[in-house]
Amino acid sequence: MNDASSGLSDEIMDAFKGLNTTSILSKMPSVTPDYDSMIVKPPVFRTSWHQLIVIGNGFDLECGLASSFSNFVKARTVDFEKADHGQIAEDVLFTKTIWDVILSSMGDANWCDIEGSIADWIAPKNREGKGSKSKFEKTLHKLANPTGTYDTDKAEDSVALFLEMRYQHHEPWNSENLLQITREDLAKLESDFDRYLSDEVETSKGYKEKVSELMSEIILDQRPSNDKYDVEESILSFNYTRAVNQFRSDEHDTEYVNIHGRLGGEIVFGIDGTDRMDNPMALPFTKTYRLMALDLPDVGKLVHVPTSGVPMAGGTKMIKFYGHSLGEADYSYFQAIFDSVKLYEGDTRLVFYFRPHKLSSGCMQDENCARKEMMEKVIRLLTAYGLTLDNKDHGKNLIHKLLIEGRLSVSLLGNNVRRR
């Protein structure tokens, strides 16, 4: 080392003399590595588990809402009686349509079946599924060939008489102008129902709270733990109400779709389009046609389709039904859902809930009777779906296969939100 370097070192050493280096070092942060924080932990993967909740009008009825079409027709009847007695226009809420005449001419068992009335009026089917002459055609014949006599026990005569009185100086009747009146009157009926049901939602005591409670019961029943699964829900409602906008989990918003429209927007009374889409007269009255005109949200997330080769993305694992009549008018929806989840070869479970309901006599239905009623509806639905499968043998043993695999159940839902 040269002299200059040696002198500089001596100066540095002299500068450190007198410093309490022990005190300084004690105040310096520890540099001991935290080995636990340095360990790279693998991400936690949870298998996705999705359920679809399907609800119908029985859901709203259970929550105390007078939402049945028969409730609506009764309210209309009272309103029309006011008009007949000269009540002032401001007190009359509804407009009488040809549909009121058609409904009133139906048998006691079907007088409040608007979807059946539309089908019977426009494009009826006989027991073999083939088309037969419609009441529309019979009414048109009566209007185009007036005799001055009417048999009001027949729907076509009652409608013809109603239209003759309503349009006393009408141009010659033909298929086009009668069809236009039919569509316009159906739109009036839908608008009246929207107004009626909106008022019921606002005035029904406790309805919104009961909706939230009942939906939570359905969602949570047989739902796996969030600790083990990435759980998601979708709700497909055949009702026009939506008292609760969304159900949310910590990670996901719940998709909620009113498939037939919502109050305050446009609602749909329509018929099943199966075997009717090639009928130009029936087409505008099918649900398929009508729904194309609605501004519906994306329904693609309602059902999760199984992804081949992706074990963590297993598709929709459970479909729960509550309060739906499972009627033929909605079979096409269920067929599309069952096809999407590959019901026959897949692992999706179907759960059909029931609760005894109050009978027209005022008595409460027996639990066994309620179960039997639901079982019969389920069998009709799944038998009809089985007929659509390419493999007819699969269609014949579909219900048996679902049962032995534990994928089909008809279950009593706990009675915690019983209508009061």
Side-chain angles (χ1 to χ4, degrees):
M1 181 179 297
N2 57 36
D3 293 340
S5 298
S6 177
L8 181 60
S9 298
D10 292 341
E11 290 177 3
I12 293 173
M13 293 303 296
D14 289 341
F16 274 96
K17 287 179 180 179
L19 289 176
N20 188 346
T21 54
T22 302
S23 175
I24 293 174
L25 291 173
S26 68
K27 296 177 182 179
M28 295 179 66
S30 172
V31 294
T32 303
D34 182 359
Y35 292 106
D36 289 338
S37 65
M38 296 174 65
I39 297 174
V40 179
K41 298 179 181 179
V44 177
F45 291 105
R46 293 174 298 161
T47 300
S48 66
W49 191 93
H50 173 261
Q51 64 174 332
L52 171 64
I53 315 295
V54 179
I55 60 173
N57 189 47
F59 180 94
D60 276 345
L61 291 172
E62 178 71 25
C63 296
L65 191 67
S67 55
S68 69
F69 195 78
S70 61
N71 293 137
F72 169 58
V73 172
K74 289 174 183 176
R76 292 177 73 80
T77 301
V78 171
D79 205 48
F80 297 148
E81 289 175 352
K82 289 181 181 179
D84 291 340
H85 287 84
Q87 199 91 4
I88 58 175
E90 288 79 1
D91 290 339
V92 178
L93 299 175
F94 306 123
T95 305
K96 195 166 187 177
T97 70
I98 63 172
W99 295 104
D100 295 288
V101 181
I102 293 170
L103 288 166
S104 65
S105 65
M106 297 183 71
D108 292 340
N110 299 311
W111 68 274
C112 60
D113 180 9
I114 182 60
E115 293 174 343
S117 298
I118 297 171
D120 196 45
W121 173 253
I122 295 294
K125 294 179 181 178
N126 57 29
R127 291 183 178 180
E128 288 72 37
K130 299 176 182 179
S132 56
K133 196 169 186 179
S134 68
K135 288 185 172 61
F136 177 94
E137 294 170 304
K138 294 177 181 177
T139 301
L140 180 59
H141 178 78
K142 186 75 177 181
L143 288 168
N145 302 278
T147 61
T149 59
Y150 301 91
D151 182 358
T152 53
D153 289 333
K154 297 180 179 178
E156 55 269 26
D157 280 35
S158 295
V159 174
L161 177 60
F162 173 75
L163 291 176
E164 288 284 6
M165 296 176 64
R166 179 169 154 183
Y167 302 100
Q168 295 182 15
H169 304 287
H170 196 276
E171 61 191 61
W173 289 98
N174 56 44
S175 178
E176 184 177 345
N177 55 40
L178 180 56
L179 197 60
Q180 180 179 348
I181 292 172
T182 298
R183 288 197 297 260
E184 289 174 350
D185 275 18
L186 184 60
K188 291 177 183 176
L189 191 71
E190 291 167 341
S191 178
D192 282 352
F193 187 76
D194 187 306
R195 185 165 59 253
Y196 163 79
L197 195 54
S198 295
D199 183 65
E200 288 296 316
V201 169
E202 292 304 315
T203 58
S204 180
K205 184 179 180 181
Y207 166 69
K208 295 180 181 180
E209 292 75 15
K210 292 176 184 177
V211 164
S212 181
E213 292 172 9
L214 181 54
M215 182 58 72
S216 296
E217 286 182 12
I218 297 171
I219 286 176
L220 293 176
D221 185 60
Q222 304 182 61
R223 187 182 191 266
S225 169
N226 283 316
D227 295 334
K228 296 182 179 180
Y229 293 89
D230 181 20
V231 180
E232 293 184 70
E233 280 94 22
S234 301
I235 300 171
L236 173 60
S237 175
F238 285 80
N239 302 333
Y240 307 108
T241 54
R242 190 167 179 175
V244 179
N245 288 328
Q246 281 185 316
F247 290 87
R248 292 185 176 87
S249 66
D250 293 337
E251 299 173 272
H252 304 285
D253 288 344
T254 298
E255 299 297 323
Y256 195 128
V257 174
N258 294 83
I259 195 65
H260 290 161
R262 292 175 59 179
L263 297 181
E266 184 178 353
I267 65 174
V268 168
F269 294 154
I271 59 177
D272 186 10
T274 305
D275 299 326
R276 292 188 174 104
M277 300 304 288
D278 59 349
N279 182 337
M281 190 166 67
L283 182 62
F285 296 92
T286 63
K287 291 179 179 179
T288 305
Y289 181 92
R290 297 288 308 283
L291 293 177
M292 289 180 68
L294 293 183
D295 185 20
L296 287 175
D298 181 16
V299 297
K301 296 179 181 179
L302 280 175
V303 179
H304 290 196
V305 179
T307 305
S308 178
V310 183
M312 306 300 283
T316 298
K317 292 298 183 183
M318 186 174 290
I319 304 176
K320 299 173 179 176
F321 299 80
Y322 186 78
H324 197 289
S325 65
L326 306 181
E328 291 184 19
D330 294 321
Y331 276 8
S332 56
Y333 294 109
F334 299 134
Q335 178 182 340
I337 291 171
F338 295 159
D339 284 347
S340 295
V341 300
K342 300 177 173 60
L343 182 61
Y344 186 89
E345 63 269 22
D347 60 359
T348 302
R349 286 188 58 199
L350 305 181
V351 182
F352 296 87
Y353 294 113
F354 71 92
R355 277 179 176 166
H357 56 84
K358 189 173 291 186
L359 302 173
S360 57
S361 63
C363 299
M364 187 59 66
Q365 185 183 34
D366 177 78
E367 181 180 320
N368 290 330
C369 291
R371 182 185 297 277
K372 181 181 178 182
E373 180 182 331
M374 178 56 69
M375 288 172 59
E376 290 173 352
K377 292 177 182 178
V378 171
I379 290 171
R380 283 196 296 269
L381 168 63
L382 294 178
T383 300
Y385 175 66
L387 295 175
T388 69
L389 299 180
D390 292 334
N391 188 320
K392 299 307 175 186
D393 290 333
H394 286 180
K396 292 176 182 177
N397 74 350
L398 172 63
I399 296 176
H400 181 71
K401 184 175 189 292
L402 293 174
L403 286 171
I404 64 174
E405 292 178 356
R407 296 197 289 127
L408 173 61
S409 59
V410 176
S411 304
L412 176 68
L413 186 65
N415 192 16
N416 298 325
V417 195
R418 165 60 57 194
R419 178 173 39 182
R420 292 181 285 275

